[in-house]
Amino acid sequence: MSVISRINTQQARYNPEAVFDGPEQLLEEVALTRGQKLAALEQWAKSIALRLDATAEGMPPSGRESDEAELLRRVRLAEDKLLAQSSALS
């Protein structure tokens, strides 16, 4: 049985936080290629880093910094997993 994707792939690539509950869910998405997943994860990491940098540059802390740091760790783990899968196939 095949799975029909019901996501907006462009939004998934350029604003993955709006589409996926977490980076692990992004990895499971069949409508995105490996390269698109890597690009989406990198975009996600940049968004998190910008929020963390804003706090470091004087914006009032939101109290979510530890959550953001944990999410960034999960995004990087997802990237590592994708990269490891491609190395194993080579």
Side-chain angles (χ1 to χ4, degrees):
M1 173 187 261
S2 63
V3 177
I4 298 173
S5 176
R6 301 221 185 268
I7 67 162
N8 177 327
T9 57
Q10 187 164 351
Q11 185 178 22
R13 291 191 319 251
Y14 297 110
N15 189 10
E17 288 180 280
V19 177
F20 302 105
D21 291 330
E24 302 82 9
Q25 185 184 21
L26 185 150
L27 288 181
E28 300 300 320
E29 179 54 54
V30 297
L32 298 174
T33 67
R34 180 185 160 280
Q36 290 170 330
K37 289 176 185 180
L38 286 170
L41 289 167
E42 186 57 33
Q43 179 61 41
W44 204 333
K46 286 179 184 178
S47 295
I48 297 166
L50 285 173
R51 291 192 298 269
L52 290 171
D53 286 347
T55 301
E57 291 179 4
M59 284 189 66
S62 67
R64 293 185 30 106
E65 290 77 21
S66 63
D67 292 341
E68 295 282 12
E70 173 59 19
L71 181 57
L72 182 57
R73 185 188 72 78
R74 289 172 46 213
V75 168
R76 293 303 186 199
L77 284 173
E79 286 177 320
D80 290 346
K81 185 175 181 178
L82 272 178
L83 292 170
Q85 287 172 352
S86 67
S87 295
L89 296 175
S90 299

